[in-house]
Amino acid sequence: SEELSVTVTRAVPWFTLEHDYPHAYVRLHYWRVTAFDGALKPLEGQQYEWFALGRWKEDRPMLPMNAMVVRRLALPEVVACVTRSVSEENLKALSRAGVRGVVWAQEVHRAVAETVAQRLGVPCREIALARLSDFCRDNEAAGDAALVPASETERFLQAATHGLPLYVFGRPEELDRLQQRGAHGVAIAA
């Protein structure tokens, strides 16, 4: 409540960025706040404006880091990671599971992922495979999110410091538990 006169009642860890400026080294821990008490009131003279994700007015000034955070806020929480053709039955199951995006991590899967996304009516994007070795420093060049290999999920979530929002393989009903441990969302293998 020190800057906005609200008390956070529910939040989950999201990602951490570190940057070495000429004058200082900073580590910023981003949390996704999903509930708070009180009404937003800037206590330090700052200005704020509410806007729907994807509807930011380009003529409004925004710091580059804030623009990155807004892009990341727009990422869906449940995605399908497509590596092969998907049957009509599996498409329906993905839709029922709340899939709001399709991702692909290898160029060889791009065409099939785009087809699945079009059939589901959701966005499709390439996603980086996460590597723990390069996960705490400035990672904007790496994209807006990363997919954790299934065999590495526990290691990544225990590391507790991620430079990108992470998708881990799982089921939609595990989303809350995985977000509490630091995942951005779940990827359903398709």
Side-chain angles (χ1 to χ4, degrees):
S1 68
E2 66 188 48
E3 293 180 14
L4 295 173
S5 186
V6 296
T7 302
V8 173
T9 58
R10 177 150 165 58
V12 294
W14 194 20
F15 64 92
T16 301
L17 289 181
E18 298 178 15
H19 189 76
D20 199 1
Y21 292 100
H23 65 284
Y25 172 81
V26 296
R27 177 181 291 161
L28 301 171
H29 297 271
Y30 288 82
W31 287 68
R32 294 179 72 180
V33 175
T34 56
F36 59 88
D37 289 333
L40 289 176
K41 176 183 168 191
L43 300 177
E44 297 181 358
Q46 65 272 54
Q47 294 180 8
Y48 72 92
E49 180 178 345
W50 290 104
F51 61 93
L53 291 174
R55 305 239 183 221
W56 176 253
K57 299 173 186 116
E58 296 297 327
D59 62 334
R60 305 272 193 197
M62 183 185 293
L63 296 171
M65 281 301 266
N66 291 349
M68 178 199 63
V69 171
V70 169
R71 282 194 317 272
R72 291 178 177 185
L73 280 170
L75 293 170
E77 293 179 325
V78 180
V79 298
C81 181
V82 175
T83 58
R84 62 186 186 285
S85 295
V86 176
S87 70
E88 193 63 38
E89 181 180 320
N90 285 344
L91 276 174
K92 290 177 184 174
L94 291 172
S95 183
R96 284 191 307 272
V99 166
R100 297 291 178 257
V102 173
V103 298
W104 51 276
Q106 297 176 341
E107 184 64 32
V108 69
H109 302 134
R110 180 180 189 161
V112 70
E114 288 174 344
T115 299
V116 170
Q118 183 178 17
R119 290 174 66 196
L120 286 171
V122 298
C124 183
R125 65 183 301 138
E126 181 177 16
I127 193 165
L129 286 175
R131 292 188 325 223
L132 202 54
S133 61
D134 58 12
F135 243 68
C136 299
R137 305 295 293 172
D138 277 336
N139 271 321
E140 184 158 7
D144 285 326
L147 177 66
V148 176
S151 61
E152 300 288 318
T153 298
E154 283 307 311
R155 251 180 47 162
F156 270 88
L157 294 179
Q158 288 172 359
T161 316
H162 316 292
L164 294 171
L166 299 177
Y167 285 99
V168 297
F169 285 98
R171 298 180 314 274
E173 54 270 18
E174 298 175 291
L175 181 62
D176 188 57
R177 180 183 62 81
L178 291 168
Q179 284 181 328
Q180 289 175 22
R181 297 193 56 213
H184 171 81
V186 294
I188 300 170

